[in-house]
Amino acid sequence: DAGVIQSPRHEVTEMGQEVTLRCKPISGHNSLFWYRQTMMRGLELLIYFNNNVPIDDSGMPEDRFSAKMPNASFSTLKIQPSEPRDSAVYFCASSFGYSNQPQHFGDGTRLSIL
Amino acid sequence: GENVEQHPSTLSVQEGDSAVIKCTYSDSASNYFPWYKQELGKRPQLIIDIRSNVGEKKDQRIAVTLNKTAKHFSLHITETQPEDSAVYFCAASKGNQFYFGTGTSLTVIP
């Protein structure tokens, strides 16, 4: 199994630009999670999906952030317009089932907004 | 919502000694407690987990204990090795959502 695949691994862009992060969950997993990790705030859950449906997006910081999951094998997290304070490592994770199952993380996208 | 506290935030031990990391949680309905290890620049990786119907679980040098009454759980690493150096996160869950602790940076001194 290839595990959770995220792209790009690194992204450097200027403030105001649109950023799109991509995630392919482990095949057969039906739950997908987007996290943001910073030194100050640790691991924060942004949004999660069950069976491609967004269940809880209360962690999305503001309207500049949006996430989609058009099918079981692909999800995107978009930031538009980006700001320097969005700089962080963004992780995608997936799990099988609806509760109390281990989440498997991708390698993350290190995002730097200049 | 759930609140998970993790201590200590940093821990240094001599190689071969044991390391203990403790977490407390607030929601008595939480029933799944995974532990993740994150090496510098890498992804969090699950190392062990425990469910609320079990009090202790062991996997080689790693063990986790759970006290449901006191709402706390701990990670124990015995015979530590330099490759155990990393940040360790605990989490509590009662459904699909994990609530993570703030992490413990463990350094094993050769």
Side-chain angles (χ1 to χ4, degrees):
Chain A
D1 195 325
V4 176
I5 299 173
Q6 291 187 244
S7 65
R9 290 294 312 279
H10 303 273
E11 175 89 10
V12 180
T13 192
E14 291 189 345
M15 181 175 65
Q17 297 297 306
E18 178 179 293
V19 173
T20 299
L21 311 182
R22 297 173 176 81
C23 176
K24 176 179 169 55
I26 292 172
S27 178
H29 282 191
N30 57 354
S31 296
L32 184 140
F33 307 81
W34 282 102
Y35 289 91
R36 178 171 67 178
Q37 187 176 39
T38 61
M39 288 295 293
M40 291 295 294
R41 301 174 69 93
L43 265 169
E44 301 175 274
L45 177 66
L46 301 177
I47 185 171
Y48 75 91
F49 297 82
N50 280 349
N51 290 331
N52 315 336
V53 176
I55 302 300
D56 185 349
D57 65 353
S58 59
M60 297 285 263
E62 46 198 274
D63 292 345
R64 298 184 298 106
F65 285 69
S66 62
K68 294 182 179 180
M69 191 164 186
N71 57 62
S73 58
F74 184 66
S75 177
T76 60
L77 178 68
K78 188 173 292 188
I79 309 173
Q80 166 63 18
S82 57
E83 297 182 4
R85 60 194 168 116
D86 302 331
S87 298
V89 180
Y90 290 80
F91 287 103
C92 175
S94 71
S95 68
F96 175 74
Y98 297 101
S99 67
N100 302 337
Q101 297 299 320
Q103 295 179 14
H104 301 270
F105 283 76
D107 288 330
T109 295
R110 183 171 297 275
L111 177 63
S112 297
I113 308 296
L114 306 177
Chain B
E2 174 66 276
N3 181 44
V4 177
E5 295 190 357
Q6 184 172 346
H7 300 280
S9 57
T10 60
L11 179 61
S12 291
V13 299
Q14 290 292 135
E15 181 177 358
D17 287 351
S18 295
V20 180
I21 302 170
K22 299 181 179 181
C23 290
T24 61
Y25 61 100
S26 59
D27 190 341
S28 57
S30 290
N31 54 10
Y32 176 64
F33 307 91
W35 284 89
Y36 285 82
K37 174 184 180 183
Q38 187 177 26
E39 296 177 11
L40 190 62
K42 301 285 183 65
R43 60 188 168 94
Q45 288 191 282
L46 179 75
I47 56 171
I48 196 167
D49 56 8
I50 191 168
R51 289 180 169 77
S52 59
N53 58 345
V54 175
E56 184 174 358
K57 184 176 179 181
K58 195 172 182 180
D59 183 3
Q60 299 183 332
R61 296 186 297 107
I62 295 173
V64 57
T65 58
L66 171 64
N67 183 326
K68 286 174 55 179
T69 303
K71 294 204 281 289
H72 68 71
F73 56 113
S74 300
L75 178 71
H76 304 253
I77 306 174
T78 59
E79 301 172 22
T80 53
Q81 301 168 3
E83 52 264 39
D84 295 329
S85 296
V87 177
Y88 292 80
F89 293 95
C90 64
S93 169
K94 61 177 178 179
N96 227 348
Q97 190 165 347
F98 285 10
Y99 297 88
F100 283 94
T102 49
T104 296
S105 178
L106 173 65
T107 301
V108 179
I109 304 165

